[in-house]
Amino acid sequence: MHDSFKSSALEAAARVPAVPWMASRDAARDALATVDLPDRSAESWKYNNLSSVYGLSVALTAPGDLAVAQSLAADVLALDAPVVVLLDGRFCAELSRLPEGVAVAPFSAADPAQEVRIRETLGAQARAQGQAFVLMSEALSEDGVWVDVADGAALDPVLHIVKLRTQAGTTAPRVLVNVGDNARLNLAEHYRYAPGLDTFDVPVTEVRIGANSAVHHYRFAFGEAGSRHIGRVATRQARDSRYRAYLAVIGGDFNRLDFGLDIQGQNCDSQLFGLYMCRASEHTDIHLAVDHALPHCDSQEVFRGVAAQRGKAVFNGRIHIHPDAQKTNAELSNRNLLLSRHAEINTKPELEIYADDVKCAHGATVGQLDPEALFYLRSRGTPLASARSLLSYGFINEVLLAMPDETISALVTPRVDAFFAGLTDA
């Protein structure tokens, strides 16, 4: 099954329309041919049943449906904010509104100077963290988005990069972000799927944050039955920079996200807030790796998971303190809620410390709703489903309330409501 899946991916990669300056795709395709795809024998994939992915035949998508795309992204398109839409893996000019003052361009419309910058940096961070699916993403990529915030510049309105799926098949959208020194960026990535499609996505996002700069980064993946998503985010911070990430993964047959944060400067401040929710027979896997390489940096990671019905989730959070990272303050919290006796969540926080003057902590729990609190609400006439939703909202609110932009958090709330509304047997 692995071999046929990889063979179909290599054949599809050979048919990707040629873009001369993206020659790295050929190298990625050659490298992919030599590596093994992961399976349960690998520690980081041991809780993943990849049969729904490996059973696919990789094929590039047909051109997207504009009307369906408008419906899928109606709430984002209604915002007074810049928007870049990738429709089934390709730039959609009809639905995009590019910002002023900051260089933002789809790969397919990059000017010669932008082509040079993209060619120099695309894949450098993601490949360094290593993964067969990163190679597959690069080999299959048809288009992407280049964001370049110059030194001293700022994009305060949130830039929304919306990746919509209206056709069955495979896409590998790329996002490449460079934030210069003393700069600011607010960025939101959205992944949305029309129902009833068999889809497979291998997106990669790379973010480089310059010295004394600040980035707020939202990443929302709202899946549907039949959607399969294996993504990677690779972020690198320079000295005195601040990074805030807010993740929400809700729904989808198979969701895997590898998130790497590489702190390569002193006096950095990093905070990550994540929410994942799965029901029916959905599977979600979040792998987080935070690397502290230099001293006097703080990081905090707060992740909340909810599994209902026969949903299954995995969280692996690793903090690596390198020998030179003295005076590091790092903390990871992962709490999980099971709403059914058939649901399952596996969590494994990891601390790897090679410096002796640090403050580090991690904690992980898996539990159920408090029966006394549930009884209290029901005894006052609250229906079971409403009582369960109220208590569950209290459990995940820490992540939702951490989002500083109310218009952004308002995009997540309807998905959370729909998740709880769809529970009938938990």
Side-chain angles (χ1 to χ4, degrees):
M1 185 177 288
H2 296 55
D3 292 340
S4 62
F5 175 76
K6 190 167 81 171
S7 295
S8 67
L10 292 170
E11 292 171 5
R15 293 193 295 270
V16 173
V19 179
W21 57 270
M22 289 185 67
S24 62
R25 286 194 318 209
D26 296 334
R29 187 175 68 243
D30 293 342
L32 176 63
T34 67
V35 301
D36 294 327
L37 297 180
D39 57 25
R40 286 179 182 273
S41 63
E43 176 64 23
S44 61
W45 293 84
K46 65 184 294 185
Y47 296 111
N48 293 270
N49 180 357
L50 283 157
S51 59
S52 70
V53 174
Y54 291 159
L56 296 170
S57 178
V58 176
L60 301 176
T61 60
D65 186 315
L66 193 61
V68 175
Q70 287 176 307
S71 175
L72 281 177
D75 53 351
V76 179
L77 296 173
L79 297 174
D80 182 18
V83 179
V84 179
V85 174
L86 293 179
L87 178 52
D88 292 297
R90 306 172 184 98
F91 175 62
C92 178
E94 294 90 337
L95 299 181
S96 297
R97 299 189 298 266
L98 299 184
E100 297 180 356
V102 169
V104 177
F107 291 179
S108 54
D111 62 34
Q114 290 169 333
E115 290 178 8
V116 172
R117 298 286 305 281
I118 296 170
R119 191 170 59 241
E120 289 174 345
T121 54
L122 182 66
Q125 282 178 237
R127 283 198 301 267
Q129 296 176 1
Q131 191 193 70
F133 287 108
V134 172
L135 296 173
M136 188 178 295
S137 175
E138 190 157 355
L140 291 169
S141 179
E142 289 186 83
D143 209 345
V145 182
W146 161 248
V147 180
D148 186 23
V149 185
D151 292 350
L155 183 58
D156 289 324
V158 178
L159 169 63
H160 295 266
I161 299 176
V162 186
K163 288 158 247 190
L164 303 173
R165 297 304 312 277
T166 68
Q167 304 290 334
T170 299
T171 70
R174 306 292 292 237
V175 174
L176 184 57
V177 178
N178 180 68
V179 180
D181 296 343
N182 305 302
R184 294 196 310 274
L185 173 67
N186 293 307
L187 172 69
E189 292 182 85
H190 306 261
Y191 296 84
R192 298 189 179 185
Y193 300 80
L197 299 175
D198 272 331
T199 60
F200 174 56
D201 295 287
V202 275
V204 172
T205 295
E206 297 171 276
V207 182
R208 302 178 67 182
I209 306 172
N212 197 36
S213 293
V215 171
H216 285 264
H217 183 190
Y218 306 84
R219 189 185 193 277
F220 303 141
F222 301 142
E224 296 285 346
S227 67
R228 303 158 185 89
H229 181 115
I230 299 180
R232 171 170 284 275
V233 175
T235 299
R236 173 171 291 187
Q237 286 185 251
R239 65 171 177 80
D240 300 306
S241 62
R242 189 175 67 167
Y243 179 62
R244 301 284 184 271
Y246 311 91
L247 315 177
V249 180
I250 303 175
D253 272 4
F254 186 94
N255 258 305
R256 163 84 179 212
L257 174 62
D258 284 83
F259 196 110
L261 174 57
D262 189 8
I263 302 172
Q264 289 288 342
Q266 297 191 37
N267 303 313
C268 292
D269 181 19
S270 317
Q271 293 187 12
L272 285 72
F273 297 87
L275 168 67
Y276 48 92
M277 306 175 72
C278 53
R279 66 183 186 191
S281 57
E282 297 164 350
H283 178 101
T284 298
D285 184 352
I286 307 291
H287 264 62
L288 171 69
V290 179
D291 276 86
H292 282 268
L294 291 174
H296 303 287
C297 295
D298 295 342
S299 72
Q300 180 187 26
E301 294 80 39
V302 177
F303 281 77
R304 299 289 179 262
V306 178
Q309 298 169 334
R310 295 184 181 276
K312 184 176 181 180
V314 181
F315 178 83
N316 192 105
R318 175 174 172 268
I319 299 175
H320 185 179
I321 311 295
H322 293 258
D324 292 336
Q326 302 291 351
K327 305 293 184 183
T328 291
N329 186 359
E331 182 178 353
L332 185 154
S333 166
N334 174 234
R335 295 171 57 198
N336 298 282
L337 181 63
L338 299 175
L339 296 180
S340 161
R341 60 190 177 91
H342 300 295
E344 178 180 337
I345 297 181
N346 295 285
T347 176
K348 187 173 74 168
E350 300 177 41
L351 277 177
E352 194 169 343
I353 302 174
Y354 297 98
D356 54 14
D357 187 9
V358 300
K359 291 172 61 178
C360 297
H362 67 67
T365 62
V366 180
Q368 299 174 329
L369 290 177
D370 181 352
E372 291 188 8
L374 200 59
F375 175 78
Y376 177 85
L377 289 173
R378 296 197 67 190
S379 67
R380 280 151 180 79
T382 305
L384 173 60
S386 299
R388 188 173 51 206
S389 297
L390 283 171
L391 294 174
S392 299
Y393 255 109
F395 178 78
I396 64 177
N397 248 350
E398 183 177 3
V399 173
L400 297 176
L401 294 175
M403 299 179 190
D405 190 318
E406 293 183 358
T407 61
I408 293 290
S409 59
L411 299 175
V412 181
T413 304
R415 300 290 172 163
V416 176
D417 290 342
F419 176 90
F420 290 122
L423 302 183
T424 57
D425 61 348

